[in-house]
């Protein structure tokens, strides 16, 4: 195991990343993929010769980092298996947050929670959101094996969506609509498999601003 000699902490270290992936696309893809385990405070990826193929992800909770290390070990990311362990040193943003917290405690002020309500899912969608009433569009389309994804960030590409959806059994393909950014179709083998993915990823945030809206595609 990669993690035996390093104690669990909020920052994970990832190596064996495909070096051909551009820095900004890499950071967006890592955020989209790993934010399902908890709220992400920072993603660090540098393209200097010594740091190519590596990245660090800082979570707000140790539990989120632990789940990511356990569940994403050897995940095929841009055609290479990820090697993941806890980071050896505390990240800058965690060190600063702890220093600020200590300062507030020393001054007798209550320490704030880590910027907002906690969510163990993705830093956004709550159970109420996931179980809310279906939209008119969702109600209009009968359950089927193709999902219609809306409210995607402009920079979303098919690889980012594939990384998310291929974790679910029965995944077939992602189809983007070049003429209309912000939407996509994801196909599964049958409607029971597409339903599981819809329920799990409804409201998932590919970035902090955009929560995915998922419905069945109209046939």
């Amino acid at each position: 195991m990669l993690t035996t000699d390093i104690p669990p902490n909020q920052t994970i270290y990832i190596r064996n990343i495909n070096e051909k992936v551009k820095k900004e696309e890499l950071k967006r893809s890592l955020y989209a993929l790993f934010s399902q385990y908890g709220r992400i405070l920072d993603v660090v990826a540098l393209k200097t010769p010594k740091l190519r193929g590596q990245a660090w992800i800082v979570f707000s909770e140790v539990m989120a980092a632990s789940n990511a290390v356990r569940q994403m070990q050897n995940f095929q990311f841009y055609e290479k298996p990820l090697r993941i362990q806890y980071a050896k040193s505390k990240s800058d943003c965690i060190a600063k947050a702890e220093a600020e917290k200590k300062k507030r405690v020393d001054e007798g002020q209550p320490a704030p929670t880590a910027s907002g309500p906690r969510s163990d899912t993705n830093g956004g969608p709550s159970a109420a959101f996931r179980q809310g009433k279906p939209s008119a569009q969702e109600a209009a389309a009968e359950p089927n094996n193709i999902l219609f994804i809306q409210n995607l960030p402009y920079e979303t590409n098919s690889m980012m969506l594939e990384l998310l959806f291929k974790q679910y059994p029965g995944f077939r393909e992602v189809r983007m609509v070049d003429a209309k950014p912000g939407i996509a179709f994801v196909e599964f083998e049958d409607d029971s498999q597409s339903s599981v993915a819809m329920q799990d990823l409804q409201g998932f945030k590919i970035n902090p601003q955009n929560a995915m809206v998922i419905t069945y595609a109209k046939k």
Side-chain angles (χ1 to χ4, degrees):
M1 285 290 291
L2 291 167
T3 58
T4 52
D5 57 341
I6 303 173
N9 63 82
Q10 290 154 277
T11 305
I12 63 173
Y13 166 61
I14 305 171
R15 59 186 178 85
N16 200 44
I17 297 172
N18 192 324
E19 296 181 13
K20 295 179 181 177
V21 184
K22 293 181 179 179
K23 177 183 171 181
E24 289 309 311
E25 180 181 349
L26 173 62
K27 291 177 72 172
R28 287 195 296 264
S29 296
L30 287 172
Y31 184 96
L33 185 61
F34 281 88
S35 57
Q36 62 187 300
Y37 297 104
R39 192 159 57 80
I40 290 176
L41 301 180
D42 198 12
V43 176
V44 178
L46 303 174
K47 281 292 187 177
T48 58
K50 287 186 178 181
L51 296 177
R52 284 180 180 274
Q54 304 169 67
W56 288 260
I57 299 178
V58 187
F59 289 94
S60 63
E61 305 276 348
V62 174
M63 181 63 72
S66 298
N67 288 336
V69 169
R70 186 174 65 253
Q71 297 182 37
M72 296 303 293
Q73 195 68 259
N74 298 317
F75 182 84
Q76 287 292 324
F77 184 75
Y78 290 96
E79 301 179 345
K80 293 187 71 173
L82 295 178
R83 304 287 188 249
I84 309 173
Q85 65 185 64
Y86 298 107
K88 291 181 180 179
S89 58
K90 192 177 295 182
S91 70
D92 290 342
C93 62
I94 291 296
K96 287 176 183 176
E98 289 184 353
E100 180 65 22
K101 182 178 179 180
K102 184 177 184 303
K103 180 181 175 183
R104 284 176 172 270
V105 170
D106 290 344
E107 293 173 354
Q109 299 177 26
T113 56
S115 62
R118 174 184 171 184
S119 169
D120 291 330
T121 50
N122 180 230
S126 63
F129 180 94
R130 290 168 177 268
Q131 297 167 5
K133 295 180 180 179
S135 65
Q137 214 171 0
E138 185 174 356
E142 290 293 324
N144 63 79
N145 66 317
I146 299 177
L147 300 177
F148 177 48
I149 320 296
Q150 301 175 80
N151 200 38
L152 295 170
Y154 181 82
E155 66 271 13
T156 305
N157 58 38
S158 58
M159 178 59 77
M160 293 167 70
L161 290 177
E162 184 177 322
L163 289 169
L164 281 177
F165 283 93
K166 76 176 183 180
Q167 300 174 79
Y168 295 91
F171 170 80
R172 281 185 174 172
E173 66 173 346
V174 170
R175 295 194 295 274
M176 304 291 291
V177 182
D178 292 337
K180 192 173 181 184
I183 67 172
F185 295 89
V186 180
E187 183 176 347
F188 284 83
E189 291 178 4
D190 61 45
D191 58 0
S192 63
Q193 293 168 330
S194 66
S195 297
V196 171
M198 176 194 284
Q199 290 170 8
D200 279 6
L201 292 175
Q202 188 70 266
F204 182 89
K205 291 185 176 181
I206 284 186
N207 67 18
Q209 290 77 39
N210 294 69
M212 289 198 300
V213 177
I214 307 176
T215 59
Y216 293 109
K218 293 181 180 179
K219 286 197 169 183

